[in-house]
Amino acid sequence: YNMLSYFDTAQTVYIIIVAFLLGACVGSAMNCLAYRIANKQKWSGSSRSACPNCGHTLSMLDLIPIFSWLFLGGKCRYCKKKISARYPITEMITGLCFVAIILKFDISVMSLTAAVLVACLLALSVVDLDTFEIPDRFLIIPAAVRLLYLGIKSAIEDGFLGCLKALGLCILPGLIMFAGMLLLSLFMDKVLKRESMGGGDIKLFGMAGLWITLPQILLLLISACIIGLIFAVALKAGKGKEFPFGPAISAATFLTIIFGDTVLNAYLSLFTF
């Protein structure tokens, strides 16, 4: 049943606002975590957030997602140097992603697992943009969460055999994505005489496959290529220039999870007479 259907309009709007704010906070935390990983800094412990320009420790008023950046005019309160707009943009995007998750999966455990996926996709995308590397931890965590969720859910509802079937249907798209992209990468390496796709991108495709169905594989691949081209133009990536593909794969993964069924049903309806 749909829990949101039990709330009136005002309550639903309140839940959506809370989801957005929670997502913005998660986006802010993942931004900080990604920055520390990209700059080889200690990413856990008691170290406080600081301005990337002057190193001044930031107060709570400086760390309010989106609003702090806006109120301060995109500048550090202490050194007055500009702070990248990437911070409020990613916080806003994460907030919108959390809203989309709630509207798609309702108030449920599935929404919680999808939120973990979004947080990891955001973090690995930011790190990839800065270092052209995708940390394995941001692939292992959502993969483990996905398998654990499906395993427990199917075991409770359908027993041991149902659990095995659900896990098999989950792992199969992941294996197809990973093996397919690995073979394609090896082939293109031979043709181009250089590395065509990083190992992190291939593993990211494999992890993404765990979250989609077999019919959605082609949709995810096409979406990743289209978004990748848009990113390449935006980043002015020229011929032979290294290009971070992780953000495009991450965006395509999320869009496929949220809108995949709708797009495929609309496409198949074109052939219904």
Side-chain angles (χ1 to χ4, degrees):
Y1 59 92
N2 190 326
M3 289 187 65
L4 286 178
S5 63
Y6 287 89
F7 299 110
D8 59 30
T9 302
Q11 291 172 325
T12 301
V13 170
Y14 172 76
I15 291 171
I16 290 174
I17 292 174
V18 170
F20 177 82
L21 294 177
L22 179 60
C25 291
V26 170
S28 179
M30 290 300 102
N31 252 325
C32 178
L33 175 60
Y35 176 84
R36 295 185 182 188
I37 291 175
N39 289 275
K40 310 298 181 183
Q41 297 178 1
K42 186 177 180 181
W43 60 275
S44 61
S46 59
S47 57
R48 295 273 303 277
S49 296
C51 171
N53 296 310
C54 65
H56 194 288
T57 300
L58 301 178
S59 68
M60 289 297 295
L61 292 177
D62 303 316
L63 297 172
I64 301 174
I66 303 173
F67 296 105
S68 289
W69 190 90
L70 292 174
F71 291 153
L72 294 173
K75 297 179 181 179
C76 173
R77 184 194 302 272
Y78 310 99
C79 66
K80 306 304 179 183
K81 289 187 177 180
K82 288 186 177 181
I83 302 295
S84 174
R86 184 174 73 181
Y87 293 98
I89 290 174
T90 52
E91 290 163 0
M92 185 173 295
I93 289 175
T94 311
L96 293 174
C97 286
F98 272 45
V99 170
I101 288 171
I102 285 292
L103 295 178
K104 173 70 175 181
F105 300 114
D106 200 18
I107 303 174
S108 63
V109 178
M110 179 60 195
S111 290
L112 182 60
T113 63
V116 173
L117 172 66
V118 166
C120 290
L121 290 177
L122 170 66
L124 71 85
S125 295
V126 174
V127 174
D128 195 25
L129 282 170
D130 290 339
T131 67
F132 297 96
E133 295 179 358
I134 295 178
D136 286 339
R137 73 191 72 178
F138 295 129
L139 301 175
I140 295 173
I141 292 173
V145 167
R146 176 64 171 169
L147 294 174
L148 185 63
Y149 165 72
L150 281 180
I152 294 176
K153 179 176 182 293
S154 56
I156 293 176
E157 295 178 353
D158 305 311
F160 179 70
L161 293 180
C163 175
L164 292 180
K165 180 180 178 181
L167 290 177
L169 292 175
C170 170
I171 294 172
L172 182 58
L175 288 176
I176 292 175
M177 291 283 282
F178 178 81
M181 299 312 296
L182 177 60
L183 292 174
L184 177 61
S185 176
L186 293 175
F187 173 75
M188 294 304 297
D189 289 351
K190 293 288 186 181
V191 173
L192 300 175
K193 306 298 182 183
R194 60 180 175 83
E195 185 178 77
S196 58
M197 185 181 298
D201 295 330
I202 297 172
K203 289 184 284 187
L204 176 53
F205 270 118
M207 187 277 289
L210 300 177
W211 291 80
I212 63 174
T213 61
L214 285 173
Q216 293 175 345
I217 289 178
L218 185 59
L219 178 61
L220 191 153
L221 292 174
I222 294 174
S223 300
C225 290
I226 293 174
I227 297 172
L229 288 174
I230 296 174
F231 281 174
V233 172
L235 296 174
K236 299 180 181 179
K239 183 178 181 181
K241 183 178 179 181
E242 192 174 7
F243 169 69
F245 197 28
I249 303 172
S250 297
T253 299
F254 179 76
L255 291 175
T256 301
I257 292 171
I258 299 297
F259 302 109
D261 290 338
T262 302
V263 173
L264 289 177
N265 289 335
Y267 176 74
L268 293 175
S269 68
L270 298 175
F271 302 94
T272 303
F273 299 99

